[in-house]
Each structure stands twice: as C-alpha cells, then as structure tokens.
Amino acid sequence: QVQLVESGGGLVQAGGSLRLSCAASGRTFSSYTMGWFRQAPGKEREFVATIKWGDGSTHYADSMKGRATISRDNAKNTVYLQMNSLKPEDTAVYYCAARSFSGSYYYTRPRDYAYWGQGTQVTVSS
C-alpha cells in the first residue's frame, strides 16, 4: 500500500550537514505518523524524529535536538530530515517509517511502525 524510498545519505565531515529525503508512494493519509530511525552496526535501531503528517507536529530524540529538523511536503508526499553539526557517532543507516493509525502518542519505537524504507547510509568522518 505504502512504499518508502530514502535518499540523500553520503559521506560528510564532522560538523557538516546532510538532508535526507523519504519519498512515499501508494497512498499517504492525513492520520499518518512519519518517523526517522537509525541503526549502526551491532546496535539496535533507535529513534531519531517523528512528524504527524496532518498537523506537522514534531518530536525529536534528545541526541538530535538542536541539530535536526524533520519536515514534510504534502504536495510531494515527501518527508525530510535536515541534520547539522554532524558527529562521527551519527554514522548509521537511516530509515524512514510510516504508521497508518495514529493517536496523540509520539511513537518512538520501531515496533510502532508497519512500513519501512530500504535505508540510506550516513557516514560522518572525523
């Protein structure tokens, strides 16, 4: 029903910036919650940020506050993650996810999401 494709990852120096994109196809509903997660080798998948598709409300992991901005373009069915002041510990595969039935929760757990993209690699060099 919903397909998600991430792009925009790459190699960047510490202190640099990247903007990741998540293009959604099929159908996106106003009730959806969209999330960004990341996973480093040998680590659990961890929460980065979420946005409510309908009203644009956002929530961030503490490690991302002040450095990341999640946004969406409703006309393009695309969600973005702008990351600044990148650190080597930000190195991971970044995944876009979608939850189709959303309430007032922030939904910060991977198990809260049914749809996932293939991931895009972000590597931050020191």
Side-chain angles (χ1 to χ4, degrees), residues 39-125:
Q39 188 166 23
K43 305 278 188 176
E44 292 185 340
R45 191 165 298 186
E46 68 173 353
F47 164 72
V48 176
T50 66
I51 186 168
K52 301 285 188 180
W53 200 279
D55 64 11
S57 60
T58 60
H59 184 67
Y60 298 92
D62 287 342
S63 62
M64 291 287 102
K65 290 179 179 177
R67 301 193 298 126
T69 302
I70 186 171
S71 61
R72 89 282 197 226
D73 186 329
N74 291 346
K76 296 181 178 180
N77 287 335
T78 299
V79 176
Y80 303 96
L81 181 68
Q82 176 70 43
M83 297 188 290
N84 305 316
S85 301
L86 286 165
K87 308 172 182 179
E89 49 263 46
D90 294 319
T91 296
V93 176
Y94 284 70
Y95 296 92
C96 178
R99 177 183 174 89
S100 58
F101 299 99
S102 300
S104 60
Y105 300 102
Y106 296 129
Y107 301 113
T108 61
R109 304 174 301 176
R111 65 187 299 178
D112 293 328
Y113 296 82
Y115 303 101
W116 293 86
Q118 84 290 345
T120 185
Q121 176 71 47
V122 171
T123 302
V124 183
S125 63

Side-chain angles (χ1 to χ4, degrees), residues 33-45:
T33 295
M34 306 296 295
W36 284 99
F37 293 79
R38 68 187 185 186
Q39 188 166 23
K43 305 278 188 176
E44 292 185 340
R45 191 165 298 186

Side-chain angles (χ1 to χ4, degrees), residues 23-35:
S25 62
R27 188 174 182 181
T28 301
F29 300 95
S30 61
S31 62
Y32 275 28
T33 295
M34 306 296 295

